[in-house]
Amino acid sequence: MDARAIIAGVRDGQMLSDEAAAWFARGLADGAVSDAQAGAFAMAVYLKGLGTSGRVALTLAMRDSGRVLDWHMPGPVLDKHSTGGIGDSVSLLLAPALAACGAYVPMISGRGLGHTGGTLDKMEAIPGYKTDPGVEGLRRVVAEVGCAIVGASADIAPADRRLYGVRDISGTVESIDLITASILSKKLAAGLEVLVLDVKVGSGAFMKTLADARALARSLVETANGAGCKTSALITDMNQSLGHSAGNALEVLEVMETLTGTAVNEALWDVTAALGGEALALAGMAADMDEGAAMIDEALESGRAAETFGRMVAHLGGPSDFVERFPDRLPSAPVTRAVLAPRRGFVQSVNAEGLGHAVVRLGGGRLVGTDKVNPSVGFSGLASLGEEMDKGEPMVLIHAATDAAAEAAEAAVRAAYVLGDTAPEEPPLIHERVN
């Protein structure tokens, strides 16, 4: 077996066997497969597809190219994955809420990608928080706290790390087969029993149409279940920022306000409860999604989720008094500027992807991989779809490092918001469930 034969087989529409997938994944991990061969494989997959069995084979092979964790916990091991959006800080609410319900959540997360925010970047806005505790550190924190939000170690799915980079330079990023294998190989390497997926759709998502979101959700769910992990997906709306804030420290601030009940974001809460309810039902901890969502509601309302979050932060190097002192512990930007509505009207539409790129240009994300993220910058007070604005009323508050950066961001905000004379029909927060 060699790379050329495997690439030719995929190119000619032949089924990718378990053996071929395993050989190719090992070659990606150890360097036996060249960059040219990896790119040719990615293009063959992009053009011909793999089918369900091929996706399962590639996913498992990439999972097994590195270390696969196993757990011996008194409760089920669960996680959630989002396909990315802006103002989406659900993970920070959901991990401690699930742990407060008796689940164990080794949440291996990623950094910002393109216009979408990254969970690790948000957690690193907390002073001292370490996202790289190593496998034994992850085990310890999950066992003692119930959850840990961390990054993948170098020995988790190394084949995916290699293929991920090749996809970006070979024009194959959009391949649903490769997206599926990339997402799931890392999640399954965490040793999960249950996975719930949040597939975003809309102007701030990678999938702009419901048809494309359904296709990705079905691919992910079929593949994960085929690989032996109980999985379902919710397709949720991303035609605007999910939270009222976009930017790392600002989103953490909004999460903490929601966890402590000082200023609850209802959309953020509702998506968290729905995804958590689905996970608890899949794990057999709740009779159905509604009962599971009620359990998540109670964990948030009672303060148990906030207490769990605080313990996780302290165990991973952050302040021991973070829950009590979070406004003082988070960094703030030196420049703030309100963007005022140019006329009276209703928010007709929001280019959420444009807002996401504006956060990146403020320094809240990376234009290139070596960029350093400024955790303090971003937007707060984001006006929502359908909201009625008076002329001169603030639509958005910009948090920037310099006046020049704030001025550029203001232009981006004005381009992203469209006001009209009538309120638009707002899309549902949760479009549908895929299982």
Side-chain angles (χ1 to χ4, degrees):
M1 189 172 293
D2 61 55
R4 288 175 296 178
I6 294 170
I7 294 165
V10 174
R11 178 201 64 197
D12 295 339
Q14 299 173 14
M15 184 178 72
L16 181 68
S17 68
D18 294 345
E19 295 77 16
W23 189 96
F24 204 85
R26 284 196 302 271
L28 286 169
D30 65 18
V33 170
S34 70
D35 283 349
Q37 290 169 327
F41 175 81
M43 185 57 71
V45 173
Y46 177 80
L47 294 174
K48 291 292 187 176
L50 292 174
T52 301
S53 63
R55 285 195 301 270
V56 171
L58 182 61
T59 298
L60 290 175
M62 287 167 57
R63 177 198 71 180
D64 294 339
S65 67
R67 184 168 184 175
V68 179
L69 305 183
D70 60 342
W71 300 91
H72 303 284
M73 296 296 182
V77 179
L78 319 180
D79 199 2
K80 158 261 182 191
H81 177 81
S82 169
T83 57
I86 78 161
D88 177 13
S89 48
V90 166
S91 291
L92 280 64
L93 289 168
L94 184 56
L98 285 170
C101 291
Y104 292 85
V105 189
M107 187 172 278
I108 295 178
S109 302
R111 301 193 180 281
L113 179 64
H115 69 280
T116 71
T119 297
L120 293 187
D121 297 326
K122 296 168 193 178
M123 296 306 298
E124 287 180 344
I126 301 172
Y129 190 94
K130 299 293 188 293
T131 59
D132 55 351
V135 170
E136 296 314 314
L138 171 63
R139 289 186 184 280
R140 175 181 55 79
V141 177
V142 171
E144 294 178 7
V145 178
C147 64
I149 300 175
V150 300
S153 61
D155 56 356
I156 294 289
D160 173 67
R161 188 173 297 105
R162 178 93 184 286
L163 192 57
Y164 189 94
V166 168
R167 284 166 54 210
D168 191 39
I169 60 174
S170 63
T172 58
V173 169
E174 298 85 357
S175 166
I176 283 182
D177 291 322
L178 296 177
I179 292 170
T180 298
S182 177
I183 289 171
L184 294 180
S185 60
K186 295 188 288 288
K187 286 295 183 182
L188 298 181
L192 304 179
E193 299 169 50
V194 167
L195 175 63
V196 63
L197 297 157
D198 183 1
V199 178
K200 302 293 187 184
V201 63
S203 69
F206 287 112
M207 298 301 175
K208 307 298 185 189
T209 69
L210 193 53
D212 286 344
R214 282 191 186 116
L216 178 57
R218 287 171 182 151
S219 175
L220 288 163
V221 169
E222 288 175 0
T223 303
N225 281 306
C229 180
K230 292 181 182 178
T231 303
S232 65
L234 300 182
I235 298 177
T236 69
D237 193 72
M238 188 46 67
N239 281 298
Q240 60 181 329
S241 173
L242 181 59
H244 296 310
S245 299
N248 298 306
L250 296 167
E251 290 184 49
V252 175
L253 180 65
E254 188 168 30
V255 163
M256 297 312 300
E257 289 174 342
T258 299
L259 279 172
T260 58
T262 54
V264 172
N265 181 310
E266 292 185 7
L268 197 57
W269 183 300
D270 289 348
V271 172
T272 299
L275 289 165
E278 183 71 13
L280 293 173
L282 282 176
M285 298 178 71
D288 54 29
M289 179 179 170
D290 289 339
E291 181 177 294
M295 293 169 64
I296 297 294
D297 286 341
E298 193 281 330
L300 294 171
E301 289 169 354
S302 66
R304 292 189 297 118
E307 188 271 337
T308 300
F309 189 90
R311 291 175 58 221
M312 177 185 72
V313 167
H315 274 66
L316 286 164
S320 59
D321 61 352
F322 185 70
V323 173
E324 295 77 22
R325 300 286 303 277
F326 64 88
D328 303 327
R329 298 291 184 246
L330 292 167
S332 58
V335 176
T336 57
R337 177 183 296 196
V339 181
L340 307 180
R343 51 161 290 190
R344 181 180 176 84
F346 297 88
V347 177
Q348 287 282 329
S349 65
V350 181
N351 180 347
E353 181 174 347
L355 290 178
H357 284 303
V359 172
V360 173
R361 289 192 294 272
L362 279 167
R366 299 170 185 82
L367 292 170
V368 297
T370 55
D371 282 350
K372 185 176 180 180
V373 169
N374 182 340
S376 69
V377 301
F379 303 130
S380 65
L382 290 160
S384 302
L385 280 172
E387 186 173 344
E388 187 174 9
M389 310 295 300
D390 287 325
K391 182 177 180 179
E393 182 181 0
M395 294 192 301
V396 176
L397 184 64
I398 297 168
H399 301 252
T402 65
D403 288 323
E407 185 173 344
E410 180 172 355
V413 169
R414 293 196 180 282
Y417 273 86
V418 175
L419 300 182
D421 294 329
T422 58
E425 182 177 343
E426 294 183 48
L429 196 58
I430 298 170
H431 289 269
E432 58 191 63
R433 177 176 181 267
V434 177
N435 64 353

